[in-house]
Amino acid sequence: MPHTPIDQLLARTHPYDALSDEDRVALAKVAGVQEVEAGHLIYRLGAPVTALCLIERGQVNITDEHAEVLSILGPGNSFGERGLMRDGIAPVNAITTEASRIITIPADVFHSLIKNNPTARRFFDRTRPAATKQQDITTMAVADLMTPAPLTCRPDTPLIEAAGQMRDRHVSCIIATEAEDGPVRGILTTGDITARAVAEGLDNHVPVGDIMTPDPLTLPPSALVADVLHTMVERGITHMPVVEAGRLAGILTQTDLTRFQATSSAALIRDIVTAPDADAIAKVTAKIPELLVQLVGAQNPHQVVTRLITDIGDAATRRLLTLAEAELGPPPCPYLWLACGSQGRQEQTGVSDQDNCLILSDEMAEGDDAYFEALARFVSDGLDKAGYFFCPGDMMATNQKWRQPLRVWRDYFQGWIDRPDPEAQMLASVMFDLRAIGGAADLFDGLQARVLEAAAGNSIFVAHMVANSLKHQPPLGLFRGFAMARSGEHKNTIDMKHAGVVPIVDLGRIYALTGKLTIANTRARIEAGMEAGVVSGSGGRDLLDAYDLIAEMRLEDQAAQIKRGEKPDNFMAPASLSDFERSHLRDAFVVVKTMQSAAQSGRGYLS
């Protein structure tokens, strides 16, 4: 079989070297050749991409819309696959910097190549599907396990009538609503009938509303079954209504879960709920590194791993609040403990500090702060003992600045929005990730909605937020390398938190702000931003792929550190990766840089 120069080039270039001789010769026959001078624009950002390009000789720069160089490619490098694998549109520019010879592979041939050759598919596709494994119920979405269309009645329905419906449907609960698609007002279980009606000798015609559990805890269909397990264990409940957009979508009960074994994360939470003091809580949270290794080893997606680990931090916080009130007495006025940072976003890993604050009721009287100062110290000290070390920036409820009445918090946010100086931008960035953990949740609901409305409506504030988000840059070096620490303790490593994950977190926050989205989780923000139209489908999918790869590599490196008996951190040595992994990690960083450029220009994606 004769070998042409193109065939010989393909035979010594990955991933084309994985093709059979017959397929490689066939590919060489349909490949084109471009001889171009320096300065030739192979494709322009937003233009159609019709072929995969392979550099035989010369150099090509990949640049963003601001002409900033994202990557320098040389002989043996391929490019153009991102446009071909998405919507056929170039997300960047490709321009030669010297006379070059480019081999072009038509789009249809490229798609056939990645469809029929696993090696080529893995090389060009940045996504990394999870290994085949037995599905763990705790990582399933509630929607996949809940009972849809649960039994309902009005709160004024006589008990005997509701009980008859439960008997006829063979169910253990009935949901009280004012209308079929109205909000959940309460839940009546067989346990409620026994303990609150039969045991007290109430009349059979007493309204359901008199003995039901009002305003029960609910979760959305997108929540994990682990969220239900954790809440049931922590709160001692057996039934969980599932609500979406204010409407009842289903019910998930303990009976639905009895055939499955609870995960170790649920077991840890069970131990935390009964812990008598901070020392006992610390003994439980000391098992988190082992849990992280197990979860990563089971190929769970990063968003599942971090959610389960964050649930443990939430449970520890609420238990410490309960222990604090037991020691200090009941609070003098309503309060709400909130988490920000990674806990607020439900993205905690094996390395987490504490970022928290207290919103106090405007009803608080002079002198009440002494109680909340003591409560904050009790909880923060307990969290530190449990491995959630004190915030280096002192952004904790122990700092009086972050322990204020609701009216002061309103002034804080309004001031940051009206006067967006660098400090205001930093504080606003942290506080937009707030999530209620324990206390009177209604103290935050109205505040969050008003702040998002005001912030999104202030174009100067949004512009400053975007500029602030660009302070964290992906670690891209030239010539397809990484920008690494060159000295010090972490020499020749990449900071996978501040240079890897944080730039994506910042982008997700911008999408949430411009779309007025109350979601705090980064991945959920990107998905919701796509649905709201603040980031395009192509850009969002690319960013999700990049985020998944970066976040999972970070967790895998932490798990490897733990298995070596080391304390996990966020610094990863690229030298520990294979050439394949390094190539894909760098491609992911290029995506992040591209999306940062898009945000800077006010567009969701370069198209």
Side-chain angles (χ1 to χ4, degrees):
M1 183 179 296
H3 294 284
T4 65
I6 293 180
D7 175 37
Q8 293 172 357
L9 170 67
L10 295 176
R12 63 177 183 266
T13 305
H14 194 67
Y16 314 101
D17 58 351
L19 299 174
S20 67
D21 286 346
E22 182 180 358
D23 288 343
R24 193 175 60 251
V25 169
L27 177 59
K29 288 181 178 179
V30 297
V33 178
Q34 289 186 12
E35 294 278 0
V36 295
E37 298 300 318
H40 178 76
L41 191 63
I42 297 175
Y43 57 69
R44 185 188 304 276
L45 181 153
V49 178
T50 59
L52 177 72
C53 298
L54 169 63
I55 303 173
E56 180 178 359
R57 183 183 70 248
Q59 180 175 295
V60 175
N61 280 9
I62 304 299
T63 67
D64 63 16
E65 63 177 330
H66 304 295
E68 182 172 350
V69 177
L70 300 175
S71 190
I72 297 177
L73 308 180
N77 291 146
S78 299
F79 61 95
E81 72 275 9
R82 280 182 56 209
L84 293 174
M85 293 180 71
R86 286 304 185 195
D87 49 13
I89 301 299
V92 289
N93 301 304
I95 185 170
T96 59
T97 57
E98 60 184 59
S100 302
R101 179 181 170 90
I102 309 295
I103 307 303
T104 58
I105 299 172
D108 58 339
V109 178
F110 166 74
H111 288 297
S112 176
L113 173 67
I114 62 174
K115 178 180 179 181
N116 299 318
N117 188 277
T119 300
R121 183 168 60 250
R122 286 189 295 110
F123 182 84
F124 290 117
D125 189 355
R126 282 185 305 275
T127 61
R128 300 188 304 168
T132 303
K133 63 184 181 69
Q134 184 176 1
Q135 187 174 29
D136 182 349
I137 184 177
T138 60
T139 62
M140 295 171 60
V142 167
D144 295 330
L145 198 63
M146 71 180 186
T147 300
L151 185 63
T152 63
C153 69
R154 291 176 53 85
D156 59 1
T157 301
L159 172 61
I160 191 169
E161 182 180 329
Q165 294 180 44
M166 292 167 63
R167 177 200 61 199
D168 295 340
R169 285 275 297 270
H170 304 287
V171 296
S172 58
C173 71
I174 189 168
I175 309 296
T177 62
E178 296 289 353
E180 184 175 338
D181 60 350
V184 173
R185 297 302 185 194
I187 183 170
L188 178 70
T189 68
T190 51
D192 295 329
I193 296 174
T194 300
R196 299 176 185 173
V198 177
E200 295 181 15
L202 298 182
D203 185 272
N204 287 340
H205 290 81
V206 64
V208 165
D210 288 358
I211 59 173
M212 70 182 185
T213 299
D215 302 318
L217 291 170
T218 65
L219 283 175
S222 59
L224 301 178
V225 172
D227 294 329
V228 178
L229 277 169
H230 295 168
T231 303
M232 286 181 172
V233 169
E234 186 177 351
R235 303 298 178 88
I237 58 179
T238 57
H239 297 72
M240 180 71 72
V242 181
V243 173
E244 183 174 30
R247 297 184 177 183
L248 181 65
I251 186 76
L252 193 60
T253 72
Q254 202 168 66
T255 303
D256 298 323
L257 307 172
T258 53
R259 66 186 184 278
F260 297 99
Q261 184 177 9
T263 62
S264 56
S265 58
L268 295 186
I269 288 178
R270 184 180 298 112
D271 292 341
I272 287 173
V273 170
T274 58
D277 52 37
D279 288 333
I281 293 174
K283 289 180 180 178
V284 178
T285 55
K287 300 175 183 177
I288 289 177
E290 179 184 349
L291 173 65
L292 185 144
V293 170
Q294 293 174 353
L295 293 172
V296 171
Q299 298 292 316
N300 286 290
H302 68 93
Q303 65 270 26
V304 171
V305 177
T306 55
R307 175 78 69 84
L308 298 181
I309 290 176
T310 303
D311 283 350
I312 297 170
D314 291 353
T317 304
R318 283 191 284 265
R319 182 56 180 165
L320 286 165
L321 286 169
T322 299
L323 293 173
E325 289 189 22
E327 180 171 306
L328 302 172
C333 69
Y335 73 89
L336 178 62
W337 183 282
L338 302 99
C340 45
S342 60
Q343 185 181 4
R345 298 189 304 272
Q346 295 180 298
E347 294 166 3
Q348 287 187 308
T349 67
V351 187
S352 296
D353 62 353
Q354 53 175 294
D355 297 283
N356 47 61
C357 64
L358 272 171
I359 297 180
L360 309 176
S361 169
D362 287 336
E363 301 169 6
M364 71 177 295
E366 186 176 353
D368 285 352
D369 186 59
Y371 175 94
F372 292 109
E373 180 181 11
L375 179 138
R377 177 56 59 192
F378 185 102
V379 176
S380 287
D381 285 350
L383 288 173
D384 182 66
K385 185 175 292 186
Y388 304 96
F389 53 88
F390 294 128
C391 173
D394 200 23
M395 190 161 286
M396 299 183 298
T398 50
N399 183 340
Q400 189 175 19
K401 182 175 183 179
W402 310 123
R403 187 181 67 249
Q404 292 290 336
L406 178 58
R407 62 179 181 276
V408 175
W409 281 100
R410 291 195 188 101
D411 291 341
Y412 280 168
F413 277 104
Q414 195 60 54
W416 296 333
I417 294 169
D418 292 342
R419 298 176 295 280
D421 57 32
E423 181 183 14
Q425 291 302 300
M426 183 275 292
L427 295 174
S429 294
V430 173
M431 293 302 173
F432 274 125
D433 294 346
L434 285 174
R435 183 171 60 89
I437 301 297
D442 59 331
L443 289 172
F444 184 55
D445 292 340
L447 173 67
Q448 186 182 36
R450 282 193 294 271
V451 167
L452 279 173
E453 187 71 31
N458 187 322
S459 59
I460 296 177
F461 176 80
V462 173
H464 277 278
M465 283 287 287
V466 172
N468 185 68
S469 72
L470 300 178
K471 292 180 180 178
H472 296 106
Q473 293 288 321
L476 288 170
L478 298 181
F479 298 101
R480 297 193 70 79
F482 297 103
M484 298 182 290
R486 296 305 178 189
S487 61
E489 179 185 0
H490 302 297
K491 182 179 179 181
N492 295 329
T493 66
I494 296 172
D495 185 341
M496 292 294 283
K497 176 181 178 181
H498 292 100
V501 170
V502 169
I504 305 172
V505 169
D506 290 339
L507 286 170
R509 192 181 296 115
I510 296 301
Y511 302 151
L513 172 62
T514 55
K516 303 176 187 177
L517 308 171
T518 59
I519 304 167
N521 178 264
T522 298
R523 203 176 195 285
R525 279 172 165 173
I526 298 171
E527 291 175 335
M530 292 165 62
E531 292 182 9
V534 297
V535 59
S536 78
S538 296
R541 288 191 297 272
D542 264 0
L543 190 59
L544 285 173
D545 284 351
Y547 182 39
D548 290 346
L549 188 143
I550 293 168
E552 285 171 13
M553 278 193 170
R554 177 194 182 197
L555 287 176
E556 287 168 0
D557 192 60
Q558 288 187 2
Q561 291 173 322
I562 294 168
K563 287 190 286 188
R564 293 195 299 266
E566 303 169 3
K567 185 176 181 179
D569 60 31
N570 291 299
F571 298 93
M572 185 181 75
S576 67
L577 304 175
S578 67
D579 289 343
F580 176 84
E581 290 171 322
R582 282 196 297 271
S583 175
H584 282 64
L585 179 59
R586 196 180 190 286
D587 286 345
F589 287 141
V590 169
V591 170
V592 177
K593 178 64 177 177
T594 302
M595 295 303 291
Q596 285 183 324
S597 296
Q600 187 177 21
S601 67
R603 291 186 286 133
Y605 190 61
L606 302 176
S607 60

